Amino acid sequence: MSAEHPGRLRTAIAAVMYRMQAFTVVGYMGVASFIGVEALIVLLGFTTVLPIAIPFVLIVLGLAYLFRQRLRDLWTRARPRRGEAE
């Protein structure tokens, strides 16, 4: 480290941590708006049963929130139209 920038590494690590925390907050907000606040509370209450699964469930729900329009289009294409399936 140079004498001109003694806290350079500390500043870089702090910046990365702040970005990760912001990403986490945005993820929780996305999941809460996708499944609802009450369901998020139930999901987070589930941490006592299987705590290792919570991050994976939140990641899947967050990705579903980000790609919800594509998922909606896939769902409407996958559903049979009236009169075709009968």
Side-chain angles (χ1 to χ4, degrees):
M1 291 181 23
S2 66
E4 298 172 8
H5 302 288
R8 193 174 186 181
L9 180 62
R10 183 180 299 161
T11 303
I13 291 172
V16 168
M17 292 302 295
Y18 291 142
R19 287 185 185 127
M20 289 172 57
Q21 288 174 350
F23 182 73
T24 302
V25 168
V26 169
Y28 275 110
M29 289 174 57
V31 169
S33 67
F34 189 67
I35 65 173
V37 175
E38 291 84 9
L40 180 65
I41 291 170
V42 170
L43 182 68
L44 292 177
F46 183 65
T47 58
T48 58
V49 178
L50 189 61
I52 193 68
I54 297 303
F56 301 113
V57 170
L58 290 178
I59 288 169
V60 167
L61 289 173
L63 289 174
Y65 172 75
L66 291 175
F67 297 112
R68 66 187 182 274
Q69 184 62 40
R70 290 183 185 172
L71 290 172
R72 188 177 300 133
D73 292 341
L74 285 172
W75 178 254
T76 55
R77 281 187 292 204
R79 289 181 50 200
R81 293 189 180 89
R82 292 183 185 193
E84 286 183 4
E86 297 174 15

